Amino acid sequence: MEHTTAIFPAEPSAQYRWWHHGIIYQVYPRSFQDSNGDGVGDLKGIITRLDYLQWLGVDCLWLSPIFPSPMADFGYDISDYRGIHPLFGNMEDFDELLSEVHRRGLKLLLDLVPNHTSDQHPWFLESRSSRDNPRRDWYIWHDGKADGSVPNNWLSVFGGPAWEWDSHTGQYYYHAFLKEQPDLNWRNPEVQQAMLDVMRFWLEKGVDGFRVDVMWHMIKDSQLRDNPPVPNAAGDTANPLYDDYLPVYSTDQPEVHQIVRMMRELTDAYDDRVLIGEIYLPIPKLVTYYGQDNSGAHLPFNFQLLTLPWNSREIAGAIDAYEGALPAGSWPNWVLSNHDKPRIASRLGLSQARIAAMLLLTLRGTPTIYYGDEIGMTDVPIPLDEIVDPQGLNMPDMNVSRDPCRTPMQWSPEINAGFSARKPWLRLPYNAARVNVEKQKNDTHSMLSFYRKLIDMRKKSAALSVGSYSPVYSDGQLISYLRQEHDETFLIILNLSHRPAYFRPQNTSYNGIIKLSTEEERIGMRVTNVITLAGDEGLLVQIDD
Ligand code: GLC
């Protein structure tokens, strides 16, 4: 397939904000740096690593939740939206972190978890105290069916039914995740205002925006209709799983866009902030979260690279489908890994992880890097009796624990990889003394050096950071595209296979100099016409005619 006509965006936007050209770096606070020797990362620890992030060249940190929480879902179950969990420090530490981030010209995003609270949040304690409590309607309560069974067939993402019986008040409440994470009723205007107040609190403090947790879950069908089963699913009817049903009534309801719009309006009332949404939906639905006339999320997270099979035709098709589906004036983004999915180096192997890094950092759109991917961290095997992730514990036979991708950052060959003086909350891999920042920092061939070069090139080049994207062609092995701005043009050719491949476009010839390659030795060489690539090779060519 060869296309030379489609160029995105059709009409370039004149004004770029920091989140258009910046690079986001996700920090999982429990695992970044421990400063007080309790085996769990904390805010003071993050402060001591800001120099590293600046050296790496990223622009913005997004912190997974740092708020008070019983930690049933490691902080995604919040019991106080305006505080800091003592494990991570206190508000003074947060203020210091924010000012140290800003002093370096970096940005800080917080994780906002509006869909559900902890069952220990005072709102829920009140709500469950009696049927006529003023906060009863803040959550989703419902009678059982006539036979006493659950109100509908909705299931929890973490296994089992999504309804929990409350014997005290004789009703069920809905929880899309753990029973310790009751869903808020976002149809209630008081809930909306309470959460907007939370946002205001942090925006006033000066945070640069939010990554909004499970944005597509926030509104559910008002009639609570049953979800239809996936056609022809071979599911176990006695023990149905979340994926056996199409969540068409429990997620992605049209009214969610009004809520997102309210969040956006508030965000826009402050200077230069950004609203990102966590949304796992197919492209045509995903892009609706930009909102009408871009009044929704600035960046609905695009997880194509995280969910699709790693095959050149599939990936090339997804890039083009995504570019083609973006509403006018909206801005793309790309993600390779996060704290919920296997790491990129584990999914693809280290050689292809470099190709993935090239893709992430040369595509049009804001890239998000997951901590540790820059040193090629892989999923750490966690013995069964050390599993702590509730998703893993609740579905013990399915091997779906997220612990392996949440292990401590590997900083140095020292004890506990320089992460902590004490035994960390999750174990390190056996090779941590070999695979770490310190070892890779001065090795020009390391993954870290490769990431750093890519980041540096992207930052220095308008073509790479904000330039147009146009596909050249893809085949069963490689994908190729151009990035262009003014008189600067880069050709990117990525071999997604392990076998040598030939780049041979049909109608045009491309001449230029290799500026970056997974094969260091090729940098500086001139290429023209048919370009031969090694297996697992990626090339960034500056076109000169
Ligand atoms: C999001 C988070 C995940 C969490 C879930 C429930 O998907 O990324 O870690 O468990 O929401 O809050």
Side-chain angles (χ1 to χ4, degrees):
M1 119 171 92
E2 180 163 8
H3 6 224
T4 42
T5 44
I7 297 180
F8 300 99
E11 289 168 45
S13 151
Q15 216 198 357
Y16 296 109
R17 314 298 322 169
W18 64 268
W19 51 267
H20 289 105
H21 51 75
I23 297 170
I24 300 172
Y25 184 95
Q26 181 187 357
V27 169
Y28 194 67
R30 293 180 71 89
S31 290
F32 203 56
Q33 178 64 55
D34 178 18
S35 74
N36 62 355
D38 63 359
V40 178
D42 47 46
L43 300 183
K44 277 195 183 323
I46 298 173
I47 296 173
T48 65
R49 296 301 185 180
L50 291 177
D51 288 346
Y52 164 76
L53 294 177
Q54 207 172 13
W55 170 86
L56 181 62
V58 297
D59 302 275
C60 172
L61 283 70
W62 147 38
L63 305 184
S64 284
I66 51 172
F67 317 104
S69 157
M71 293 284 169
D73 188 20
F74 294 103
Y76 284 93
D77 49 322
I78 296 170
S79 52
D80 173 6
Y81 285 88
R82 291 179 165 82
I84 302 294
H85 195 298
L87 259 180
F88 299 124
N90 55 35
M91 197 55 89
E92 256 173 52
D93 300 332
F94 178 80
D95 291 339
E96 189 187 339
L97 171 64
L98 185 59
S99 84
E100 285 297 314
V101 164
H102 285 164
R103 194 168 66 76
R104 287 169 171 79
L106 304 173
K107 306 284 183 184
L108 188 72
L109 305 183
L110 290 182
D111 215 310
L112 182 77
V113 187
N115 178 68
H116 45 268
T117 67
S118 159
D119 65 346
Q120 298 307 308
H121 194 292
W123 297 340
F124 188 69
L125 296 178
E126 278 190 48
S127 183
R128 82 184 312 176
S129 66
S130 77
R131 285 205 192 192
D132 51 19
N133 183 279
R135 291 222 163 90
R136 183 67 171 179
D137 184 50
W138 280 40
Y139 293 82
I140 302 172
W141 291 98
H142 209 274
D143 292 335
K145 292 199 176 127
D147 65 356
S149 61
V150 289
N152 65 19
N153 71 352
W154 297 358
L155 296 172
S156 155
V157 176
F158 290 154
W163 295 97
E164 180 70 11
W165 176 248
D166 177 59
S167 55
H168 176 60
T169 56
Q171 279 191 314
Y172 287 95
Y173 67 85
Y174 175 70
H175 58 91
F177 297 89
L178 297 175
K179 66 176 176 9
E180 292 84 0
Q181 294 168 296
D183 280 46
L184 282 161
N185 174 15
W186 270 89
R187 293 179 185 274
N188 183 327
E190 288 174 16
V191 169
Q192 299 169 3
Q193 286 315 313
M195 200 57 74
L196 291 176
D197 280 349
V198 168
M199 292 177 73
R200 211 171 275 123
F201 173 82
W202 293 105
L203 290 166
E204 288 290 336
K205 265 193 176 290
V207 306
D208 300 288
F210 302 98
R211 170 269 191 191
V212 180
D213 192 63
V214 295
M215 188 179 258
W216 84 114
H217 271 264
M218 285 197 296
I219 295 267
K220 349 292 170 187
D221 177 44
S222 56
Q223 299 169 54
L224 302 181
R225 281 170 281 189
D226 276 353
N227 283 326
V230 171
N232 308 317
D236 172 356
T237 43
N239 254 325
L241 290 174
Y242 186 79
D243 289 341
D244 295 338
Y245 289 87
L246 296 168
V248 293
Y249 290 117
S250 52
T251 63
D252 191 34
Q253 298 303 294
E255 302 94 317
V256 74
H257 297 292
Q258 280 154 244
I259 305 295
V260 178
R261 190 190 187 117
M262 279 164 49
M263 291 180 157
R264 169 65 180 269
E265 270 169 16
L266 178 64
T267 309
D268 280 354
Y270 295 80
D271 244 15
D272 222 12
R273 316 292 166 101
V274 70
L275 190 67
I276 301 178
E278 183 206 19
I279 300 148
Y280 285 91
L281 284 175
I283 293 170
K285 288 181 176 237
L286 174 68
V287 297
T288 64
Y289 284 75
Y290 283 104
Q292 205 152 24
D293 301 323
N294 293 304
S295 59
H298 292 103
L299 302 173
F301 260 151
N302 164 21
F303 295 130
Q304 309 302 313
L305 300 180
L306 199 122
T307 48
L308 285 176
W310 196 251
N311 119 12
S312 54
R313 291 192 202 279
E314 192 104 36
I315 299 288
I319 298 168
D320 294 351
Y322 178 64
E323 280 283 3
L326 287 170
S330 66
W331 187 250
N333 76 89
W334 298 94
V335 184
L336 283 184
S337 298
N338 64 29
H339 64 293
D340 293 326
K341 303 282 179 205
R343 282 187 179 275
I344 191 77
S346 282
R347 280 191 284 131
L348 310 182
L350 281 167
S351 305
Q352 279 296 314
R354 289 189 184 226
I355 301 296
M358 282 189 85
L359 189 60
L360 176 72
L361 292 159
T362 61
L363 278 173
R364 190 175 83 94
T366 309
T368 299
I369 298 174
Y370 184 49
Y371 85 97
D373 274 4
E374 75 274 24
I375 56 168
M377 270 172 65
T378 45
D379 287 347
V380 177
I382 305 291
L384 288 176
D385 59 355
E386 291 177 23
I387 295 177
V388 288
D389 173 31
Q391 179 166 280
L393 293 172
N394 285 4
M395 296 181 271
D397 301 331
M398 296 188 60
N399 195 7
V400 288
S401 164
R402 297 167 295 180
D403 296 332
C405 69
R406 298 175 172 181
T407 57
M409 180 69 178
Q410 296 156 209
W411 294 105
S412 72
E414 284 145 42
I415 182 145
N416 298 322
F419 164 72
S420 174
R422 276 250 311 274
K423 188 172 173 241
W425 74 287
L426 280 175
R427 64 161 62 204
L428 288 149
Y430 297 113
N431 66 8
R434 184 156 43 85
V435 180
N436 57 60
V437 170
E438 203 177 295
K439 289 259 176 182
Q440 294 192 12
K441 223 174 167 175
N442 300 316
D443 171 1
T444 50
H445 302 291
S446 68
M447 183 72 90
L448 182 56
S449 298
F450 189 65
Y451 258 89
R452 198 157 167 259
K453 268 178 242 162
L454 271 168
I455 291 171
D456 187 53
M457 292 207 61
R458 183 179 177 98
K459 286 173 83 107
K460 288 188 179 138
S461 152
L464 288 175
S465 57
V466 295
S468 65
Y469 160 89
S470 45
V472 176
Y473 86 104
S474 62
D475 61 20
Q477 290 182 278
L478 55 80
I479 66 180
S480 55
Y481 48 91
L482 295 171
R483 297 294 312 282
Q484 187 163 23
E485 179 83 357
H486 304 304
D487 53 0
E488 189 183 38
T489 305
F490 283 102
L491 166 68
I492 293 99
I493 316 170
L494 303 174
N495 185 353
L496 271 66
S497 81
H498 304 309
R499 292 182 49 239
Y502 300 97
F503 170 77
R504 39 183 157 189
Q506 303 282 302
N507 308 321
T508 327
S509 87
Y510 295 93
N511 306 308
I513 305 282
I514 298 178
K515 290 290 175 181
L516 188 73
S517 166
T518 43
E519 310 257 310
E520 288 272 310
E521 292 72 10
R522 275 188 101 169
I523 295 175
M525 288 182 189
R526 171 162 288 280
V527 284
T528 181
N529 293 323
V530 177
I531 302 173
T532 312
L533 285 91
D536 305 312
E537 185 174 9
L539 292 177
L540 179 72
V541 179
Q542 184 156 20
I543 299 298
D544 57 11
D545 63 338

